[in-house]
Amino acid sequence: MRRRALGLAAAWAVACARPETNAAPDARTVCPVQLSDGQYRMGTVLEVTLCAPDRATGERLLRETFEGVAALEQSFSSFDPKSELSALNRAAGRGPQRVSSALLRLTADSLALSTETDGSFDVTVGPLVALWKAASDSQRLPPAAELLAARARVGGAGVAVDAAAGTVELRRAGASLDFGGIAKGWALDRAGERLRAAGVTRALLSFGESSILAIGSAPGWDGWGIALTDASGAFAGTVELRDVSLSTSGSLGQYVEIEGRRYGHVIDPRSGEPLSRARVAVVLAADGAQAEALSKALLILGEQAGVAKVESAGAQGLLLDESGAHVETAGWAGASHYARDWPPRKSK
C-alpha cells in the first residue's frame, strides 16, 4: 500500500475531533512530517498514522511497526498450522512446552485478565470455538455431550505458565488457546512501546477501527476523533482519544443462523454458548489488552454486571444495542468526550 502524507486514518480521525483550545504552535513544529500506511494483518487492515522528524525516519518507523506486528501474528495465529500457538495446542496434555518470550507473556497476561473478568474473557475457549465452527459448517447445533466435553477443556486452571523455565503447559488433552479476542490489542501495546521508545509522541494505530491505540493527539487537535457504530451498523456518535486504548466488540459482527436463530462469533466461556443478542461494547482502558478483555466482559455480562466490572477495573465503557439504546459507565462521557452527533466544525 502506498505511503501518503495524510492517510485515511488521520482524515476520519480529525473529522470528529476538537481543535486545541489553546493557541496552537506551528504544525511543522509539532509534526514536521505526518505519514500513514496500512497492511493486512491479523485478519483485518492495520493502519498507522504517525508524526516523525523527517520522512526517512517516519518510513523506517512504519516499516518496523508492521514487521513487529507480522512477527507476532506468525507466532499467535490459530489459523496457521506452522505457528508457535498451533504447535503448543497440538502438545496439549503432553507436559510443559518451551515457548517464545512473547507467547509466554501473552499467555500470562491473558490468564490474569480472565481472572479480572471472572472468566467472561478466557483464551482457553479454543475447544468451544472449534465446536461452534463445526456447527456453523454443518448447520447443526452441537450435541449436548460434545458441548459438555468442550466445556470441560476450558478454564485457566488447565494452563500453567512457568516464567523462569520459559514454558507453557496445557494440562488437559484436547485443550487449546485462542487469542482472537486479545491479540490485536496486545500487539498494539507492543507497537506503542516501540514507538514511544523511538520518541514518537503523536500516532494513531487502528486494527480495522475495532482495536485502536492513540498516542498523544492529532496535530492541532485535542485528540484523535473516532466514529462509533451501534449493533445495526448505524452511526452511534463520536469519541476523542488521547493516550488511551479503545476496543470495540460486537456480538453479531459475524454470525451464523441455525434452526432460525442467530449465533454470533463471541462465545460465553462459562456457558459454552455463543451470544445471540445484537449488541456492541466499547471500552477505553490504559492498554489495549485490558480494553479487549473488558469489551468482551461488558458484552457478555451485560448492563449491570458488565458495567460494574469495567468500572471496578478502572476503565470506561459503553454498551449499545440495535435500537440505539445504551448504558455507560459513570465516567464514560468525561473520559471519551462522547457525542451522539457529529461535533460542530470549528475553523482555527
Side-chain angles (χ1 to χ4, degrees), residues 199-279:
V200 173
T201 58
R202 298 175 186 266
L204 184 72
L205 293 79
S206 174
F207 260 122
E209 301 178 31
S210 64
S211 300
I212 298 174
L213 168 63
I215 299 176
S217 62
W221 302 82
D222 280 345
W224 297 92
I226 307 297
L228 304 179
T229 56
D230 63 21
S232 70
F235 173 76
T238 64
V239 294
E240 187 176 86
L241 309 181
R242 183 169 184 150
D243 294 317
V244 73
S245 293
L246 175 145
S247 173
T248 300
S249 295
S251 56
L252 298 183
Q254 302 172 39
Y255 70 89
V256 61
E257 188 169 320
I258 304 176
E259 298 180 6
R261 183 180 178 186
R262 293 184 299 179
Y263 293 89
H265 70 289
V266 177
I267 297 174
D268 185 340
R270 305 163 306 166
S271 68
E273 296 276 349
L275 302 186
S276 58
R277 179 180 174 183
R279 293 199 287 195

Side-chain angles (χ1 to χ4, degrees), residues 1-322:
M1 184 175 293
R2 182 176 60 88
R3 293 181 177 87
R4 49 215 186 272
L6 178 62
L8 292 176
W12 55 253
V14 170
C16 53
R18 301 172 301 164
E20 288 179 334
T21 54
N22 298 324
D26 181 21
R28 290 169 297 179
T29 301
V30 299
C31 187
V33 176
Q34 181 166 293
L35 293 175
S36 292
D37 200 2
Q39 290 187 9
Y40 190 79
R41 291 283 177 254
M42 296 188 178
T44 187
V45 175
L46 168 61
E47 188 157 12
V48 181
T49 296
L50 57 81
C51 289
D54 55 70
R55 180 169 291 274
T57 300
E59 295 268 353
R60 175 179 57 80
L61 291 171
L62 286 172
R63 182 177 64 254
E64 292 174 353
T65 297
F66 290 117
E67 289 174 351
V69 172
L72 294 179
E73 181 179 15
Q74 290 177 347
S75 176
F76 304 157
S77 174
S78 59
F79 301 101
D80 182 359
K82 297 180 181 179
S83 73
E84 185 181 16
L85 174 61
S86 294
L88 175 63
N89 286 339
R90 286 193 296 270
R94 302 178 190 171
Q97 306 294 314
R98 290 192 62 83
V99 297
S100 66
S101 59
L103 183 54
L104 186 83
R105 181 178 174 184
L106 174 58
T107 304
D109 290 351
S110 298
L111 293 176
L113 288 167
S114 179
T115 299
E116 183 177 358
T117 60
D118 298 330
S120 54
F121 165 80
D122 193 334
V123 294
T124 69
V125 76
L128 290 169
V129 172
L131 182 70
W132 284 99
K133 183 182 183 303
S136 173
D137 293 341
S138 67
Q139 288 289 292
R140 293 184 179 182
L141 293 176
E146 293 184 14
L147 180 59
L148 186 64
R151 289 179 62 191
R153 300 185 182 102
V154 173
V159 184
V161 176
D162 188 330
T167 62
V168 174
E169 179 184 5
L170 304 184
R171 291 167 171 159
R172 306 181 182 111
S176 63
L177 303 179
D178 188 314
F179 295 113
I182 192 175
K184 294 181 180 67
W186 197 89
L188 290 185
D189 290 338
R190 307 289 79 75
E193 289 172 352
R194 290 190 293 270
L195 287 174
R196 291 187 179 97
V200 173
T201 58
R202 298 175 186 266
L204 184 72
L205 293 79
S206 174
F207 260 122
E209 301 178 31
S210 64
S211 300
I212 298 174
L213 168 63
I215 299 176
S217 62
W221 302 82
D222 280 345
W224 297 92
I226 307 297
L228 304 179
T229 56
D230 63 21
S232 70
F235 173 76
T238 64
V239 294
E240 187 176 86
L241 309 181
R242 183 169 184 150
D243 294 317
V244 73
S245 293
L246 175 145
S247 173
T248 300
S249 295
S251 56
L252 298 183
Q254 302 172 39
Y255 70 89
V256 61
E257 188 169 320
I258 304 176
E259 298 180 6
R261 183 180 178 186
R262 293 184 299 179
Y263 293 89
H265 70 289
V266 177
I267 297 174
D268 185 340
R270 305 163 306 166
S271 68
E273 296 276 349
L275 302 186
S276 58
R277 179 180 174 183
R279 293 199 287 195
V280 168
V282 185
V283 167
L284 298 180
D287 64 75
Q290 185 188 43
E292 294 270 41
L294 289 174
S295 68
K296 276 71 177 181
L298 179 56
L299 200 62
I300 289 170
L301 297 176
E303 293 90 338
Q304 296 183 352
V307 167
K309 180 57 62 179
V310 172
E311 289 180 335
S312 69
Q316 304 297 335
L318 172 72
L319 187 63
L320 301 155
D321 66 18
E322 285 180 304

